[in-house]
Amino acid sequence: MKKKPKNRWLIALSAVGIHISIGSVYAWSNFTNPLIEQFGWSTSQVQLTFSIAILFLGLSAAFFGSFVEKYGPRKAGIVAALFFGTGIIGSGFSVSASSLPMLYVFYGALGGIGLGIGYIAPVSTLVKWFPDRRGLATGLAIMGFGFAAAISSPVMEVLITSVGVEQTFYILGAAYLIIMLLSSLYLEKPEEGWSPAGFEEKVSSGKAERKIDLSQLTANEAIKTKRFYYLWFMLFINVTCGIAILSAAKPMAIDSIGMTTVQAAALVGVLGIFNGLGRLGWAAISDYIGRPNTYTAFFVIQIALFAFLPFTTNAIFFQIMLAIIYTCYGGGFASIPAYIADIFGTKQLGAIHGYILTAWAAAGLAGPLFAAFMKDKTGSYESSLLFFAGLFVVALVISVVIRLDIRRLRSKNEKMAVSRNAEVVSD
């Protein structure tokens, strides 16, 4: 008897549950000032915790991509929950011991490993459950990662104020562990050849189009192509610049714009909403305008915003510009899995996605540390923003180059298809 497939929308909801938990890393800036005030650590020292977490996110995503493909999303999700939950709870012990190295190990290394595995497991699975709406599917999962800051930031602020940093880590760690374990239990790959109800009929009647990927490559084959590195550098630049703003949003709002601590904390939460909306919105839009056009739009928009942001003192304009940057930042993450599937196929999507996310790991070190370095040296974050605007110009050029390469490959594939059809006819 054929097994009844699971509800793909509940699969998506489970993915959101995992991403909402691990996405709390984006609210790290809520811990920055309390840790500095409590222990006298520098901005760079505290910021390194966040950077290590993102570094291990990228590394674990790369190394465990094949693990996700081999053992499936359920087991991968459970492993992610154990690592991430242990990392956050262990951070409480680190604060209790007044140990910065322990914080690096628990929140940075263990939490980061949970981040990486938890990030790719549901995303690669959802792409296979939504062959008709790849962008929307990845946007749904990764939306949770972006919205996490909006949910966790005010909660963190209340907990830190009422019970202290140490207890906050204990409470959050236990909550994330439970949510991730429950969410992981429903995750499952669709059977080979599965398609949504009515999709085949729509394709046959011409009401829907079956997506034809440029190729079907393994992870080891994909990393030998130029297109892999074009995607890598585009993601690296988008994340480097965006994550610097994410990590510095709260202190920049306080120091440069003059917001109160409460207002700045609320801003971080609100911006998290735009991060999430950008992930869903841009990813869904990419289903209609294409992934190459979407990425080009990201870079054009952000060149202008990063160039103007250092000269902005008006709180309203400051918040609007950050909101738009957050949508582009989140949209870049949500669109990349579908972009990978379009170019390399879904044969080993999880593994290829993991390799691409090493760009996130590198950016997690480069962006926040550079912004923190400039803050320590110059007293403000604004000096780094023009440098980031220049990086987006480089990304824009790469986005044009990959479009040309995709066009060339598609033309080659079409010629080969015509040639094969001609041979069949002649036979």
Side-chain angles (χ1 to χ4, degrees):
M1 183 176 177
K2 191 174 181 180
K3 182 182 177 182
K4 183 181 178 181
K6 289 189 174 182
N7 186 312
R8 63 176 181 164
W9 295 103
L10 290 180
I11 294 282
L13 183 62
S14 297
V16 171
I18 292 174
H19 273 235
I20 279 182
S21 299
I22 62 177
S24 62
V25 69
Y26 277 156
W28 170 254
S29 60
N30 284 281
F31 291 107
T32 302
N33 287 339
L35 288 173
I36 291 173
E37 292 168 5
Q38 185 170 342
F39 299 109
W41 298 332
S42 70
T43 302
S44 297
Q45 286 177 315
V46 174
Q47 196 57 55
L48 183 58
T49 311
F50 176 80
S51 297
I52 292 172
I54 301 303
L55 170 65
F56 274 85
L57 184 160
L59 294 177
S60 61
F63 284 109
F64 285 94
S66 57
F67 173 87
V68 174
E69 296 289 348
K70 182 177 180 179
Y71 294 101
R74 184 185 296 116
K75 290 182 179 179
I78 291 172
V79 171
L82 295 175
F83 270 102
F84 190 71
T86 300
I88 303 303
I89 293 172
S91 298
F93 289 111
S94 304
V95 171
S96 176
S98 305
S99 175
L100 188 60
M102 280 181 64
L103 189 62
Y104 291 160
V105 170
F106 279 106
Y107 193 99
L110 296 183
I113 292 172
L115 277 168
I117 302 172
Y119 190 91
I120 61 173
V123 172
S124 61
T125 301
L126 270 185
V127 169
K128 295 166 186 174
W129 279 103
F130 288 80
D132 50 337
R133 305 181 201 176
R134 281 180 176 171
L136 174 64
T138 57
L140 282 170
I142 298 176
M143 170 191 70
F145 202 95
F147 275 139
I151 298 171
S152 58
S153 184
V155 173
M156 287 177 181
E157 192 69 24
V158 170
L159 287 174
I160 291 171
T161 303
S162 58
V163 300
V165 176
E166 179 186 344
Q167 295 299 322
T168 298
F169 279 128
Y170 294 145
I171 294 169
L172 293 177
Y176 296 146
L177 179 62
I178 294 170
I179 293 171
M180 291 177 71
L181 285 174
L182 292 176
S183 298
S184 298
L185 294 177
Y186 195 77
L187 290 180
E188 184 178 271
K189 287 182 181 179
E191 292 185 2
E192 191 70 29
W194 177 90
S195 61
F199 180 64
E200 298 298 334
E201 290 79 3
K202 289 181 180 179
V203 171
S204 300
S205 63
K207 294 180 180 179
E209 183 180 355
R210 190 186 304 279
K211 182 70 180 178
I212 300 176
D213 302 323
L214 286 177
S215 57
Q216 286 291 335
L217 303 183
T218 65
N220 289 335
E221 290 170 339
I223 62 175
K224 296 175 183 177
T225 67
K226 293 182 292 184
R227 291 174 294 283
F228 175 89
Y229 296 98
Y230 293 150
L231 290 180
W232 194 96
F233 277 108
M234 286 195 298
L235 183 64
F236 171 75
I237 292 173
N238 198 57
V239 177
T240 295
C241 304
I243 212 166
I245 293 294
L246 285 168
S247 64
K250 186 176 178 181
M252 190 163 65
I254 295 171
D255 299 338
S256 302
I257 305 300
M259 291 184 174
T260 65
T261 302
V262 175
Q263 289 174 330
L267 174 62
V268 171
V270 171
L271 291 175
I273 296 175
F274 285 94
N275 191 343
L277 290 174
R279 289 162 190 259
L280 181 60
W282 279 110
I285 289 170
S286 76
D287 282 334
Y288 296 95
I289 69 174
R291 260 61 75 172
N293 288 335
T294 303
Y295 258 80
T296 298
F298 291 153
F299 302 139
V300 170
I301 292 169
Q302 290 181 99
I303 287 170
L305 293 180
F306 272 78
F308 283 111
L309 198 58
F311 308 102
T312 303
T313 55
N314 182 282
I316 300 298
F317 287 146
F318 174 79
Q319 292 173 78
I320 291 173
M321 293 169 78
L322 279 187
I324 297 172
I325 289 172
Y326 268 52
T327 67
C328 293
Y329 175 79
F333 280 114
S335 302
I336 202 71
Y339 209 158
I340 293 168
D342 293 346
I343 295 176
F344 301 117
T346 58
K347 182 187 291 186
Q348 290 192 353
L349 175 59
I352 298 172
H353 189 203
Y355 286 151
I356 289 286
L357 289 181
T358 57
W360 191 358
L365 283 175
L369 288 181
F370 181 77
F373 171 79
M374 295 300 289
K375 169 67 166 58
D376 288 340
K377 291 294 182 183
T378 66
S380 73
Y381 288 101
E382 285 79 359
S383 51
S384 62
L385 298 180
L386 291 177
F387 173 80
F388 291 139
L391 279 181
F392 278 122
V393 174
V394 176
L396 178 62
V397 172
I398 297 173
S399 76
V400 173
V401 172
I402 193 173
R403 291 159 70 101
L404 297 175
D405 197 47
I406 290 171
R407 189 179 304 169
R408 179 192 60 78
L409 183 59
R410 183 173 288 118
S411 176
K412 179 181 176 181
N413 289 347
E414 289 172 355
K415 289 178 181 178
M416 289 175 64
V418 170
S419 177
R420 283 194 298 267
N421 290 337
E423 289 178 2
V424 171
V425 172
S426 64
D427 290 342

